[in-house]
Amino acid sequence: MSTRKRLALALATTALLGGTVALAPAATAAPGAPAADSCTNNWSISSRQGFANGKWCNYNTKVVGTVHDTNSDGRCPFVRGGLRGGGHVDSDWAGPKGDSSPVRLQAPRGKSFERLQMMYINC
């Protein structure tokens, strides 16, 4: 029998017997445990050096995905996240051709990302 069915049966039995029941609050994450990310919108960008794609998360305060190098040109692509109000955060770069690297950009506290662009370094 499922937990939900057991709970319904216990509540019905208690009600029939005229008793009262106190339900415990729902379980929450342990103190200090990171909250689950809310990633809702996809993004994709490309350039002559490669392409990248992923998701916007946590009200645009986090960007996750992957950047791929698709060209043997001595340039290794990376993703730059432009911050609202100025500044930027860069991902790891991918390279040489055929390589990929994770994109994990986190905006500083109180800031969010407003745009993404492909950049490259000579490698």
Side-chain angles (χ1 to χ4, degrees), residues 6-119:
R6 279 189 219 138
L7 180 59
L9 181 59
L11 289 173
T13 303
T14 302
L16 284 174
L17 298 175
T20 61
V21 148
L23 297 176
T28 59
D37 289 328
S38 172
C39 301
T40 55
N41 293 317
N42 295 325
W43 58 267
S44 180
I45 53 177
S46 63
S47 69
R48 290 179 47 191
Q49 291 74 39
F51 70 96
N53 49 37
K55 292 187 175 281
W56 295 93
C57 302
N58 304 342
Y59 303 101
N60 299 344
T61 61
K62 186 175 184 180
V63 175
V64 296
T66 308
V67 59
H68 308 270
D69 187 343
T70 59
N71 201 342
S72 295
D73 58 2
R75 297 174 176 176
C76 295
F78 64 93
V79 175
R80 175 167 285 174
L83 296 166
R84 230 175 269 295
H88 63 269
V89 179
D90 293 337
S91 74
D92 290 338
W93 47 269
K97 181 181 179 180
D99 186 42
S100 61
S101 291
V103 173
R104 291 187 204 104
L105 306 180
Q106 183 69 51
R109 187 176 194 92
K111 294 233 177 190
S112 62
F113 293 104
E114 65 179 351
R115 70 186 173 286
L116 297 175
Q117 62 188 119
M118 289 288 286
M119 304 293 288

